[in-house]
Amino acid sequence: MPFRLEPERTFRHALAAGAEGGANSDGGAKIGLWVCSGSPLVAEIMAGSGADWLLIDTEHSPNSLESVLAQLHAVHGYPVLPMVRLPWNDVVLIKQYLDLGAQNLLIPMVNDAEQAQAAVAAVRYPPRGVRGVGSALARAARWNRIPDYLARADETISLAVQIETAEAVANVEEILAVDGVDAIFIGPSDLAASMGHLGQQEHPEVRAAVERCLAAAVAADKPAGVNAFVEATARHYIEHGARFVLVGADVAILARSSEELSARFAAPSAAQADDGGRPASY
């Protein structure tokens, strides 16, 4: 039985068409959540949150090909765009995650146009690229149930590269000019470290570098995204042209929310303290 291609599940299509439903039905920036736990159950919970997109991370999270596949299964029935961040710009890894059915890839630590071109080549079949051919074995082609997948695979794939060093910021215009780079994503944490401001994502020099990249993307008419867990910062970057923004992570949400809930019960209330620590209802 033939399956149809799903270009509407790519960032290229969604960002060009504008938001449809989810957190930003008014057509504004797409709001995303990081999925770092490695749990399909948590991924499904996040998929039902109303966020527009999820970043399933394999760079800094306990994820493997098997766990990413399970998470792609878990979120597939929800109106959310899943993006997979690879651990490195590696032709073999890119091939494996594409064959797995990941349609939106984020490649970290892309510092210049040559590295961006290598990522583009890795997502394309020959003669335009170097992606290995295994569609009969791959979920991406639904095991050859998608007609003409080899000829039309580019329709189902979006590639974003991550700008997260001072070198990448200096080369951002050249990176944006690479044919096949559909979007850039700015990582302020590593960017701050590379600029000598480790742990200071809000440093004025870091924010200025992020704004420079956003302006370059607007000028190049390509979407740019950014990681910003501080709400005011996220809104600031949206105002400066960010089209998709990560505003939280599953593990961070769980950590902070559980701490806040526990803290409410950890210290005795004033009424309890006045009554020798006994609950006021006794």
Side-chain angles (χ1 to χ4, degrees), residues 127-167:
R128 301 181 68 210
V130 296
R131 178 182 174 187
V133 181
S135 58
L137 312 175
R139 177 176 179 264
R142 297 305 187 266
W143 306 277
N144 273 352
R145 289 171 177 162
I146 294 178
D148 301 323
Y149 175 79
L150 293 176
R152 302 169 60 199
D154 285 355
E155 298 176 31
T156 71
I157 297 168
S158 283
L159 176 69
V161 299
Q162 194 153 355
I163 308 296
E164 47 188 338
T165 66
E167 180 184 2

Side-chain angles (χ1 to χ4, degrees), residues 86 88-95 98 105 107-125 128-131 159-161 174-175 178-181:
L86 273 63
W88 193 244
N89 187 4
D90 180 87
V91 64
V92 174
L93 288 172
I94 290 173
K95 171 182 64 180
L98 287 177
L105 297 187
I107 308 301
M109 290 291 178
V110 172
N111 293 322
D112 56 36
E114 183 178 359
Q115 294 176 6
Q117 289 163 355
V120 171
V123 305
R124 290 175 169 175
Y125 288 122
R128 301 181 68 210
V130 296
R131 178 182 174 187
L159 176 69
V161 299
E174 290 81 5
I175 294 170
V178 172
D179 176 55
V181 169

